[in-house]
Amino acid sequence: MPPNISSTDTHSADSQDVVSPGDTFGVGIHITESDLQFVVHVPSDIDSGWTNSTTFQTQIEAIVWDHLEKSTVLKRLAAQHDAGTTISLGRMTLTPDGTVHNTSLVTIEEL
């Protein structure tokens, strides 16, 4: 199982307040008896600029597969994990305009 991934929030140089350049989404693969499902964990305090959940979920999925080789990841997870398991692939921070501020995804070696 991949290691825990730390938060991507940063601190302002002259303040103790947390500055978050977007929303951080967790991503993973859920294994069922019949298929593999891409899952996006949405923060409860999501920015109101995200008006269409299908749009941002599709965008997040595209970013993940730009960083990871989809077929290799899915084959490994299907072979190594039982149905009912959800495997974390990591986190990414985005703003509603589509800007990616940070990605922290597993590597093939960590799967």
Side-chain angles (χ1 to χ4, degrees):
M1 184 90 49
N4 289 335
I5 300 169
S6 62
S7 172
T8 56
D9 291 339
T10 57
H11 292 282
S12 170
D14 41 348
S15 171
Q16 294 291 46
D17 295 348
V18 173
V19 177
S20 179
D23 293 300
T24 301
F25 300 90
V27 293
I29 301 296
H30 180 73
I31 300 173
T32 71
E33 289 293 332
S34 60
D35 60 1
L36 303 174
Q37 303 168 342
F38 187 85
V39 293
V40 177
H41 299 279
V42 179
S44 59
D45 60 346
I46 191 169
D47 186 305
S48 63
W50 297 104
T51 57
N52 184 327
S53 63
T54 301
T55 300
F56 77 76
Q57 290 177 15
T58 301
Q59 181 180 13
I60 289 168
E61 186 173 8
I63 294 164
V64 167
W65 299 132
D66 282 347
H67 285 81
L68 298 173
E69 185 177 323
K70 184 177 182 177
S71 63
T72 301
V73 168
L74 296 179
K75 285 177 186 175
R76 280 200 186 176
L77 295 179
Q80 295 175 358
H81 299 279
D82 296 327
T85 305
T86 300
I87 299 90
S88 174
L89 296 179
R91 299 177 190 260
M92 64 181 53
T93 304
L94 304 161
T95 49
D97 67 359
T99 303
V100 178
H101 291 277
N102 195 351
T103 58
S104 180
L105 300 171
V106 297
T107 64
I108 294 295
E109 294 77 25
E110 294 174 307
L111 294 175

